Amino acid sequence: MTAPTPGSVALITGGTGGFGRALAAKLKTLDVVPVLADLDSARNRQVAADLGCPFVVLDVTDRAANEAVVGQIEAEHGRLDVAFLNAGIAGFDSDALFDLESFLTVVDVDLFGVVYGAAAALPALQRAGGGAVVVTASLAGLSPMATDPGYSVAKGGAVAFVRSMAPRLAAENITITAICPGFADTAIIDPLREEFEEAGFPVLSADEVADAMLAAWTQGEAGAAYIVQPGIGAVPYRFKGVPSAKTATGEIAVVPEALRPPSMR
Ligand SMILES: NC(=O)c1ccc[n+]([C@@H]2O[C@H](COP(=O)([O-])OP(=O)(O)OC[C@H]3O[C@@H](n4cnc5c(N)ncnc54)[C@H](O)[C@@H]3O)[C@@H](O)[C@H]2O)c1
């Protein structure tokens, strides 16, 4: 695996959660500076202190706060090389046929949190001469999740965001990728843990997911969405192509230039 350049600076949103901690520990062994951004709590500050990582307060749904955090990282560490946009929540448990509040809350954190994070990080990555954005999506972004439609929409939106942004970022030497883990052993699955254990259903370790996040940074293919599943590892999802339009004479229609980002014209 290509190792990251020692001294690189990484932002990890949701950095004190299960994946964030596992990734931060790995990055530290590679001489990368992981800056952990998370909601403000004594517990979160302590997690960062225990790992020996800088902590910054961030609610990813706050657009201005995302920009402030990136500014603070550049001011304190000189640069930003990679943004792991990883903060996320699951929807609330509810008996409602459709819980709109849950839907909106999840989309705000899991989709708009990613979009604001990327918008804030991109200028800093440009100033660094290039870099990477790695979005923690989910398997639920590639297949429907009937128990939590908001989560599925947010993660699916995050995958679509990554795929749509990739071509326009390539010219700036910025790679954007998504990772799509199945269920993994972190706090987010606490409400389901017993049922998984009883059913003998395999879950990923946070360490396995952190390996995939690291690989997505150092050797990820622009626009790729990496599925991470127990016993399989990280594999790029092969999207089935959408059938192309055909012209009146039956030939495949050529996409007009206006539909390509400026950097690809
Ligand atoms: N564990 C799984 O089964 C699993 C599977 C697929 C994807 N994911 C995704 O992985 C990511 C990391 O989750 P995890 O499994 O480490 O769970 P986790 O609950 O341990 O970590 C999530 C972190 O996000 C933070 N966070 C929540 N809302 C935030 C906000 N508004 N602003 C900033 N930080 C916020 C939390 O404080 C927490 O530290 C999430 O995006 C999650 O949806 C998890």
Side-chain angles (χ1 to χ4, degrees), residues 13-21 37-41 43-44 57-62 85-90 108-110 113-114 135-140 151 155 179-189 196 203-204 206 209 213:
T13 70
T16 67
F19 295 169
R21 289 199 306 274
D38 212 312
L39 298 172
D40 194 10
S41 74
R43 180 256 173 212
N44 289 354
V57 173
L58 175 65
D59 179 341
V60 294
T61 65
D62 181 337
L85 305 178
N86 165 75
I89 57 169
D108 206 21
V109 176
D110 292 10
V114 165
V135 173
T136 309
S138 167
L139 214 54
Y151 190 76
K155 297 300 190 179
I179 61 153
C180 299
F183 290 108
D185 189 9
T186 70
I188 212 168
I189 67 155
F196 283 134
V203 295
L204 294 157
V209 178
M213 295 164 88

Side-chain angles (χ1 to χ4, degrees), residues 103-120:
F103 184 98
L104 294 174
T105 304
V106 176
V107 169
D108 206 21
V109 176
D110 292 10
L111 177 55
F112 285 104
V114 165
V115 173
Y116 297 151

Side-chain angles (χ1 to χ4, degrees), residues 78-176:
R79 56 190 293 121
L80 178 68
D81 297 285
V82 56
F84 290 96
L85 305 178
N86 165 75
I89 57 169
F92 321 133
D93 209 8
S94 161
D95 290 333
L97 183 59
F98 174 59
D99 189 324
L100 181 58
E101 281 313 313
S102 172
F103 184 98
L104 294 174
T105 304
V106 176
V107 169
D108 206 21
V109 176
D110 292 10
L111 177 55
F112 285 104
V114 165
V115 173
Y116 297 151
L122 290 175
L125 296 175
Q126 275 181 306
R127 285 190 284 274
V133 176
V134 178
V135 173
T136 309
S138 167
L139 214 54
L142 300 173
S143 54
M145 188 168 188
T147 51
D148 196 344
Y151 190 76
S152 205
V153 165
K155 297 300 190 179
V159 170
F161 178 68
V162 163
R163 298 180 74 207
S164 303
M165 290 294 287
R168 57 173 57 230
L169 298 185
E172 297 293 326
N173 198 25
I174 298 170
T175 307
I176 186 166

Side-chain angles (χ1 to χ4, degrees), residues 34 51 55 94 121 124 167 173 177 186-187 191-192 199 207 209 217 226 247:
L51 282 163
F55 177 78
S94 161
N173 198 25
T177 51
T186 70
L192 304 168
D207 215 44
V209 178
W217 171 25
Y226 294 96
T247 62

